[in-house]
Amino acid sequence: GEDVEQSLFLSVREGDSSVINCTYTDSSSTYLYWYKQEPGAGLQLLTYIFSNMDMKQDQRLTVLLNKKDKHLSLRIADTQTGDSAIYFCAESGGDYKLSFGAGTTVTVRA
Amino acid sequence: SQTIHQWPATLVQPVGSPLSLECTVEGTSNPNLYWYRQAAGRGLQLLFYSVGIGQISSEVPQNLSASRPQDRQFILSSKKLLLSDSGFYLCAWSVRQSGANVLTFGAGSRLTVL
């Protein structure tokens, strides 16, 4: 969506860290989400963060939020071939809708 | 546990033909329901969402429509398909928990209009 922007492609070597970046425009966003989509499948929630938090860590995943700059990132440590997918950033405010970015296609090379 | 089903998984239709995609949710009541479209090389576009039976909000004017005849059933329809309707259609549901609106997606329906 036009309110959420992501770079379209990321190539990373197996074992390295991946960092996927996202910017959003809605200052009233209260929650920000990361979803993963494997080929031909629906989206799976990876994690989400409340807007009053700066960081959230869940195993190999680290989410960083800079609310002032409206910048969100997802870091995947020790990237594996199974991490190859499209990653979507999304935001929600006080209503029922989620606005998604265009998705970042992550390719893990050996 | 909650599950979401979408069908058909794949559909090839001629231009001008009708469309009906169905989505059902099990294991929850009064969910919010959504239809998104993912066009090739593009992100997710919210088409419709519903917070209750008979309550449909349309996000993008187009030749598609949605209906919610039952609490856990959401249908996407068209009377006459256009080439531009081709894409990957995703149904999703949510129930607000602790403020976050976490969407759970179905496996998707791939529509090709020829």
Side-chain angles (χ1 to χ4, degrees):
Chain A
E2 58 189 28
D3 299 328
V4 181
E5 292 191 356
Q6 305 176 235
S7 53
L8 293 181
F9 302 99
L10 176 67
S11 178
V12 62
R13 192 165 48 191
E14 189 175 10
D16 288 351
S17 292
S18 308
V19 179
I20 307 166
N21 294 300
C22 170
T23 57
Y24 59 98
T25 58
D26 189 352
S27 58
S28 66
S29 297
T30 52
Y31 285 90
L32 296 121
Y33 310 77
W34 284 105
Y35 280 82
K36 176 183 180 182
Q37 183 184 33
E38 297 186 358
L43 277 68
Q44 293 177 298
L45 177 71
L46 288 176
T47 187
Y48 64 88
I49 188 169
F50 186 45
S51 59
N52 70 350
M53 296 172 63
D54 298 325
M55 185 181 82
K56 182 177 180 180
Q57 189 157 1
D58 183 2
Q59 299 182 340
R60 292 192 297 122
L61 305 179
T62 303
V63 177
L64 295 178
L65 174 61
N66 182 328
K67 192 173 181 180
K68 174 176 172 289
D69 294 338
K70 300 188 185 69
H71 182 267
L72 182 75
S73 68
L74 175 69
R75 177 176 179 269
I76 306 173
D78 186 25
T79 310
Q80 303 297 308
T81 54
D83 295 323
S84 292
I86 304 176
Y87 291 81
F88 289 91
C89 170
E91 61 87 20
S92 67
D95 58 15
Y96 298 98
K97 300 180 290 186
L98 260 67
S99 293
F100 286 83
T104 300
T105 299
V106 174
T107 303
V108 181
R109 58 187 194 278
Chain B
S1 64
Q2 300 92 355
T3 55
I4 178 169
H5 303 280
Q6 263 188 259
W7 70 94
T10 306
L11 199 59
V12 180
Q13 292 285 100
V15 169
S17 63
L19 171 74
S20 180
L21 299 179
E22 189 163 343
C23 173
T24 59
V25 179
E26 296 176 0
T28 188
S29 56
N30 197 28
N32 302 322
L33 295 171
Y34 305 82
W35 278 111
Y36 282 86
R37 177 170 60 200
Q38 184 179 18
R42 299 179 63 182
L44 288 169
Q45 180 184 38
L46 178 61
L47 301 176
F48 301 94
Y49 70 97
S50 171
V51 300
I53 296 175
Q55 299 178 61
I56 309 293
S57 296
S58 173
E59 289 295 298
V60 183
Q62 57 208 322
N63 70 323
L64 298 172
S65 62
S67 61
R68 184 171 179 172
Q70 299 180 44
D71 180 44
R72 290 169 289 176
Q73 184 184 28
F74 206 25
I75 297 171
L76 183 69
S77 304
S78 174
K79 292 182 179 177
K80 288 185 178 182
L81 284 168
L82 306 173
L83 286 174
S84 57
D85 291 325
S86 293
F88 193 48
Y89 289 81
L90 290 158
C91 180
W93 71 273
S94 74
V95 176
R96 276 188 183 270
Q97 293 179 342
S98 302
N101 189 21
V102 175
L103 266 62
T104 300
F105 285 84
S109 298
R110 184 162 302 282
L111 171 65
T112 303
V113 182
L114 301 175

